[in-house]
Amino acid sequence: MFLKKLFSDTSRICGANFSSSELFSPFSKSQFLSSTDSVPPIRTTDSSVKKQYAVLVPLVDISGEPALLYTKRSSNLTSHRGLVSFPGGGMEEGDSNLVETALREAWEEVGIASE
C-alpha cells in the first residue's frame, strides 16, 4: 500500500487556523487525553454481532501544517482496489477493545506506534 497525505485547510473545516506546533503541543495532548479518561472501552456483549472493526484517523505534521494520513489500496487487489482508507481492521482475540484494535492495525498497516 502507498501512504498518502491529505493536505487540508483547517480553517475550512473548523473555522480556525491551527499550526502543528499548537495542535500537537504537550498541552493539547494533555487536554485530549484527560477528556478521554471517562470514555469506557468499547466492546459489545451482543451475541448477534459476529465481528467488530475499528479505524484510526491519524493526524500528522506536514511542513508545519496538520494533515490526515491515509492509505490507498493496491489496484491489484480483488476487493476494494484503489480505494482510499484509514488504517484499521477487525478485532482479534488478543484485542481487549476497539481502541486496541485500531492501534494494532495502524502499527501493522503503516507502522504507527501506539505511543
Side-chain angles (χ1 to χ4, degrees), residues 24 54-60 67-70 85-88 102-103 106 112:
F24 301 125
V55 298
L56 182 72
V57 181
L59 289 171
V60 295
L68 295 172
L69 176 87
Y70 59 92
S85 64
F86 293 113
L103 293 173
I112 297 175

Side-chain angles (χ1 to χ4, degrees), residues 69-85:
L69 176 87
Y70 59 92
T71 61
K72 182 176 179 188
R73 294 177 55 88
S74 170
S75 58
N76 298 323
L77 297 172
T78 56
S79 65
H80 309 295
R81 70 183 88 188
L83 294 182
V84 172
S85 64

Side-chain angles (χ1 to χ4, degrees), residues 73-114:
R73 294 177 55 88
S74 170
S75 58
N76 298 323
L77 297 172
T78 56
S79 65
H80 309 295
R81 70 183 88 188
L83 294 182
V84 172
S85 64
F86 293 113
M91 182 178 259
E92 293 182 357
E93 196 170 310
D95 299 334
S96 62
N97 58 53
L98 290 172
V99 172
E100 283 188 15
T101 300
L103 293 173
R104 177 185 49 75
E105 290 284 346
W107 168 250
E108 291 173 2
E109 293 179 17
V110 293
I112 297 175
S114 63

